[in-house]
Amino acid sequence: MEGDTLLYSRLLTFVTLGFHIVFATLGVGVPVMISLAEWVGIRRKDPHYVLMARRWSRGFVITVAVGVVTGTCIGMQLSLLWPRFMQAAGHVISLPMFLEIFAFFLEAIFLGIYMYTWDRFRPIVHWLLTLPVVIGSSASAFFITTVNAFMNTPQGFTLQNGQFVDVDPWAAMWNPATPSKVAHVLASAYLTSAFLLGSIAAFRLLQGRDHPYYRKALRFTMAASLVFAVATVVAGDWSGKFLAEHQPEKLAAAEWHFETKPRAELIVGGVLDPETGEVAYALRIPWALSILAHGHPDAVVTGLDAIPREQWPPLFVHYVFDAMVLIGFYTVLVPIAYFGYIWRKRAVPRLVLRLIVWGGPLAMLAIELGWIYAEVGRQPWILRGYMKTAEAVTTSEGVGLMLVLFSLLYIVLAAVAAFVLLRLFRNKPLEAELEERRVIL
Amino acid sequence: MSLALVGITVLWVFLYGYLIVASIDFGAGFFSFYGKWTGKGAVINDVIDRYLSPVWEVTNVFLVFFLVGLVGFFPDAAYYYGEALLIPGSVALILLAIRGSFYAFANYGARESTLFLFLYGMSGLFIPAALSTVLTISEGGFIIEQGGRVVFLANELLTSPYSWSVVLLALVSVLFISASFLTYYASRAEDQEALEVLRSFALFWSLPTIFAGFLVFVTLREHNPQHFHAMLDVSWMFVASMGCFLVALGLLMRRKAYGMAFLFVMLQYAFAFFGYGVSHLPYLLYPYVTITGSVTSPAMGQALIAAFVGGLALLIPSLWLLLRLFLFDARYVKGLRP
């Protein structure tokens, strides 16, 4: 039974967070896009962009609602499923969690105001209302990411007879993992949201709707995607260098790097034989891992041989990691291809449009994969170096039943949210709204 | 003031805030459903929608604030409650999730569905009942520590007269607070028809709240005599609460100053809630967790208070703006302005 509780607790946390981060990612990224679109619309006096902001924000409210309730779920499940972790770490990490609530409060208040005052203020004043929403959503991502960073590189306390003493909350918040993690989380959330909005525009164009609104939306979202994709790749590289220095076992597991050595090669793809540790069918790039990890081909990269066997993360994270990186490059190359046609004033081929349609869901998949890699790569620790996941789990029974109930809840929420979103835009197609608001160019 | 006392005061204030705003929200859900069922729906739904739409998300934050603050200031309390309340806590969460997200869906058409309104209205009654049992549990006797494990005695809770009195009080309070607020809102909107319906709801639910309050007193005396005597020491607060109730009731009956009436309802609950809270101290969970025994380290405490002051500096002007735009703007309330 004990073992089951641990497994079910991990699964329930996985299901809740895995579902939540879809909406959390949109919650962080979409306000940025809404704000940018409204700003461009006001600056260029182009009502199409203002309408873009308006339509996106209407759909955004639905995703926010699901994000808020699933966020409440995970907030409470942390104490319900991992009470010992919260008791111990609560002494050290409450500050960022507390600050996150304020950021969330700010976002909630101004989102309500923004949504219900479209025709009440001068355009520029209404646009100003997006700023607290953007600041609030990105700040909550920042704060909660510092908590996760702390779990990877804990600091800011001393452990004395099982008690956390000499607590320094600010040091805990600004732990070594914080900068690179925050950069990667924010950039990838912006990227995913921009790309998903681009997917919608591309989808409409493929359907044969050729209103200039869609072309503007596509161009605008692809420009944003390109910028954010490059930022994501740069932040990802930074995260890799961070891992090499502070969490070598996580990087080694991702790269199947068993032996500590200089001039380490990068293993791309492949299949691992778990018995012998042999890797077949892989693409091996000489020196690349040393360059990736330390920026120099001669650098020594710590392998799994330097880590006790029982502290190895599961080795399947390699597949997850490679898939994430692959999608990362896809999100850079597809917008480049798109702009290649735009700059040469050539029609964008349907193939490129199709690749863009796929890009949004793929980017969201990469968010999930990256998160799975970051979390599973930390196992067996819940608090690296201090507390194992198995020591933190609840002793109460019934987690299995709760796993079933919450899974059902998320299925229902996903279905209803999708249904409402689709109906929302079907009942009010762009063409009708353009006419209603008398936006004619 | 000690860190522990500051911490619990902050948390209690936010819980009180949640009590008021969530009651308005939960009660409104129930009245919407009741209105649809009896055919009075169209009259009151406009008023309810216009108020709730911009604020529903803020309501939820009050609750999350309390939960996170509890872990922050009193990590041990989080441990005891977390270990013990997996199942009831999860059920409350699922109800909250259904309700919260369906509220947003409702704005996009789901409101016409009777099934939806039924779920929405019923969850508005079950959630306060579920949440109020946490207060019941804090009185002790339902969570015990056995052989290093924390055990929740669900059967004891389900058969306790005290626990059922608290549930009853929560239910009727939600309906009373909500109806008196919506009466005020309808009067601001100069919507006579809605005003009459909502005023009758407020009057209807007023007496049961006092009755349930007394019931809680009587049953607590049996359940936790220590707390009961502590309550007698601050009995003036409960007398003041009763006085505020009578003023509110008088104003409602004489069709006067509905805003003032709602203010007195808020005061009625403030006195009762803080009287209950003060007499509960120093226990967070009787008799295992006290505020002094489980408070976080001084460094974290100071950081949390600094964060709290900074946060309030942002929050109060923002909330004021929200209220000014949607509550005190007569033209918005009347539906004349987007």
Side-chain angles (χ1 to χ4, degrees):
Chain A
M1 241 355 248
E2 288 272 305
D4 285 351
T5 299
L6 176 60
L7 177 66
Y8 293 149
S9 296
R10 288 184 63 188
L11 277 175
L12 181 47
T13 310
F14 168 74
V15 173
T16 302
L17 264 173
F19 189 67
H20 175 65
I21 58 173
V22 171
F23 299 92
T25 301
L26 295 175
V28 172
V30 174
V32 174
M33 295 303 290
I34 292 174
S35 182
L36 285 174
E38 200 178 352
W39 170 247
V40 170
I42 293 170
R43 279 304 298 266
R44 293 193 194 160
K45 299 195 170 34
D46 184 339
H48 283 162
Y49 286 94
V50 178
L51 187 63
M52 231 177 263
R54 193 166 180 139
R55 286 173 68 82
W56 288 343
S57 65
R58 215 176 300 139
F60 178 60
V61 170
I62 307 272
T63 60
V64 166
V66 182
V68 169
V69 297
T70 51
T72 313
C73 287
I74 190 63
M76 233 165 122
Q77 278 177 0
L78 281 179
S79 294
L80 294 173
L81 297 174
W82 312 101
R84 282 163 223 263
F85 167 70
M86 287 309 271
Q87 183 185 25
H91 288 281
V92 197
I93 54 166
S94 330
L95 178 67
M97 295 178 84
F98 205 58
L99 287 169
E100 196 228 346
I101 302 296
F102 278 111
F104 175 35
F105 232 131
L106 191 71
E107 182 196 346
I109 290 173
F110 279 91
L111 185 65
I113 298 177
Y114 179 78
M115 285 304 298
Y116 289 91
T117 54
W118 269 99
D119 300 313
R120 202 155 150 183
F121 299 121
R122 279 185 299 134
I124 194 76
V125 175
H126 186 254
W127 173 76
L128 283 174
L129 292 169
T130 61
L131 297 185
V133 179
V134 169
I135 293 169
S137 55
S138 290
S140 32
F142 166 78
F143 289 125
I144 212 64
T145 306
T146 69
V147 174
N148 185 271
F150 170 83
M151 292 162 82
N152 284 279
T153 51
Q155 67 171 34
F157 62 90
T158 327
L159 195 64
Q160 229 168 52
N161 310 324
Q163 294 286 327
F164 288 56
V165 293
D166 296 332
V167 172
D168 180 351
W170 300 101
M173 214 167 107
W174 291 106
N175 62 76
T178 291
S180 54
K181 240 182 201 299
V182 167
H184 198 45
V185 163
L186 286 180
S188 59
Y190 299 158
L191 161 66
T192 303
S193 305
F195 223 113
L196 263 174
L197 295 170
S199 298
I200 299 170
F203 182 72
R204 291 298 190 210
L205 286 167
L206 275 174
Q207 274 184 332
R209 308 236 209 133
D210 64 344
H211 196 281
Y213 172 92
Y214 297 116
R215 260 173 270 129
K216 284 180 191 167
L218 187 61
R219 194 173 168 154
F220 176 67
T221 51
M222 281 304 109
S225 297
L226 184 57
V227 173
F228 295 141
V230 171
T232 305
V233 170
V234 171
D237 178 61
W238 185 15
S239 302
K241 291 184 167 51
F242 156 81
L243 286 181
E245 194 178 334
H246 293 275
Q247 261 181 307
E249 74 279 8
K250 200 181 207 175
L251 186 67
E255 301 295 358
W256 287 343
H257 182 60
F258 293 99
E259 196 186 325
T260 305
K261 61 181 179 191
R263 290 185 283 282
E265 80 266 23
L266 186 72
I267 299 179
V268 179
V271 178
L272 178 76
D273 183 335
E275 299 300 318
T276 60
E278 299 283 319
V279 179
Y281 314 117
L283 176 67
R284 289 164 193 272
I285 309 172
W287 305 319
L289 184 57
S290 286
I291 296 174
L292 187 82
H294 299 288
H296 194 280
D298 289 332
V300 177
V301 180
T302 311
L304 282 169
D305 55 357
I307 314 289
R309 186 71 182 83
E310 71 278 5
Q311 289 178 20
W312 286 15
L315 294 176
F316 77 83
V317 292
H318 174 74
Y319 304 111
V320 176
F321 181 78
D322 276 14
M324 172 190 77
V325 173
L326 194 68
I327 296 174
F329 283 105
Y330 180 97
T331 58
V332 176
L333 295 176
V334 170
I336 289 178
Y338 167 82
F339 281 112
Y341 288 98
I342 293 287
W343 282 325
R344 284 183 292 158
K345 302 210 184 301
R346 300 251 294 272
V348 181
R350 291 179 74 81
L351 173 68
V352 173
L353 289 179
R354 249 182 232 119
L355 291 176
I356 294 173
V357 170
W358 279 104
L362 279 175
M364 190 57 88
L365 178 66
I367 294 272
E368 295 278 352
L369 294 171
W371 165 71
I372 291 172
Y373 165 59
E375 298 304 296
V376 176
R378 167 162 51 94
Q379 296 305 320
W381 301 106
I382 190 165
L383 204 52
R384 182 179 175 273
Y386 291 95
M387 186 186 256
K388 296 259 176 75
T389 310
E391 299 162 348
V393 74
T394 179
T395 57
S396 42
E397 280 155 27
V399 183
L401 179 65
M402 294 306 121
L403 174 61
V404 174
L405 283 182
F406 275 101
S407 304
L408 285 176
L409 170 73
Y410 302 141
I411 292 171
V412 171
L413 285 186
V416 179
F419 173 75
V420 174
L421 275 172
L422 288 175
R423 206 175 68 160
L424 177 65
F425 288 103
R426 200 169 298 147
N427 286 356
K428 205 158 197 180
L430 171 77
E431 289 73 11
E433 193 163 359
L434 284 168
E435 204 161 309
E436 183 186 316
R437 303 202 179 284
R438 299 193 184 81
V439 179
I440 297 160
L441 283 182
Chain B
M1 207 148 80
S2 71
L3 173 59
L5 209 55
V6 173
I8 196 66
T9 309
V10 166
L11 293 181
W12 208 243
V13 168
F14 269 81
L15 198 57
Y16 171 73
Y18 183 67
L19 176 110
I20 297 294
V21 291
S23 290
I24 295 174
D25 184 70
F26 292 140
F30 179 77
F31 293 137
S32 281
F33 167 64
Y34 180 78
K36 172 106 180 174
W37 195 41
T38 56
K40 293 178 195 162
V43 180
I44 53 174
N45 274 350
D46 256 11
V47 171
I48 291 177
D49 270 4
R50 219 173 299 139
Y51 165 73
L52 284 183
S53 298
V55 303
W56 68 269
E57 211 191 343
V58 178
T59 305
N60 214 43
V61 191
F62 273 92
L63 177 66
V64 181
F65 192 104
F66 175 78
L67 295 172
V68 169
L70 186 69
V71 178
F73 280 104
F74 307 105
D76 284 356
Y79 167 71
Y80 273 86
Y81 284 113
E83 275 278 299
L85 298 181
L86 174 72
I87 293 175
S90 298
V91 171
L93 266 183
I94 288 175
L95 288 172
L96 270 173
I98 291 177
R99 190 189 162 80
S101 49
F102 274 44
Y103 187 76
F105 302 154
N107 280 328
Y108 296 96
R111 192 166 276 286
E112 283 82 56
S113 143
T114 311
L115 172 71
F116 163 79
L117 270 181
F118 174 74
L119 284 176
Y120 184 64
M122 284 302 122
S123 63
L125 293 185
F126 279 115
I127 295 168
L131 293 180
S132 66
T133 53
V134 178
L135 285 183
T136 313
I137 289 166
S138 75
E139 292 297 335
F142 305 111
I143 289 181
I144 54 166
E145 210 168 10
Q146 236 173 19
R149 279 189 57 178
V150 180
V151 184
F152 171 53
L153 306 172
N155 280 338
E156 295 279 323
L157 184 74
L158 289 176
T159 53
S160 151
Y162 173 65
S163 139
W164 287 107
S165 322
V166 173
V167 168
L168 182 70
L169 179 62
L171 288 185
V172 292
S173 299
V174 160
L175 297 173
F176 178 56
I177 293 173
S178 186
S180 39
F181 173 78
L182 292 170
T183 305
Y184 162 60
Y185 204 69
S187 81
R188 296 264 317 167
E190 290 171 19
D191 185 339
Q192 277 306 323
E193 252 184 305
L195 174 67
E196 281 309 309
V197 175
L198 291 163
R199 178 178 161 272
S200 70
F201 289 165
L203 290 175
F204 181 82
W205 291 109
S206 60
L207 286 179
T209 60
I210 289 301
F211 170 71
F214 275 116
L215 210 58
V216 167
F217 257 107
V218 174
T219 46
L220 182 66
R221 186 179 177 170
E222 295 300 310
H223 186 81
N224 185 340
Q226 190 267 350
H227 186 191
F228 178 76
H229 288 292
M231 272 167 107
L232 289 185
D233 292 341
V234 289
S235 52
W236 67 269
M237 294 185 89
F238 299 98
V239 174
S241 170
M242 183 74 195
C244 293
F245 167 75
L246 291 175
V247 174
L249 188 63
L251 289 172
L252 279 171
M253 285 171 77
R254 296 176 55 199
R255 297 173 192 280
K256 262 190 178 161
Y258 292 113
M260 196 53 78
F262 179 65
L263 202 65
F264 272 96
V265 171
M266 280 178 71
L267 281 175
Q268 172 201 344
Y269 279 89
F271 276 118
F273 192 70
F274 283 90
Y276 172 84
V278 166
S279 54
H280 201 294
L281 293 181
Y283 294 104
L284 287 174
L285 172 60
Y286 184 85
Y288 297 108
V289 189
T290 61
I291 53 167
T292 44
S294 70
V295 73
T296 190
S297 64
M300 177 56 91
Q302 279 154 18
L304 286 181
I305 290 169
F308 182 70
V309 172
L312 278 191
L314 266 179
L315 207 61
I316 291 173
S318 313
L319 274 175
W320 177 80
L321 182 65
L322 185 75
L323 291 178
R324 218 187 72 134
L325 288 172
F326 299 112
L327 195 57
F328 301 129
D329 185 311
R331 289 180 59 209
Y332 172 80
V333 177
K334 286 176 195 163
L336 297 175
R337 186 192 254 248

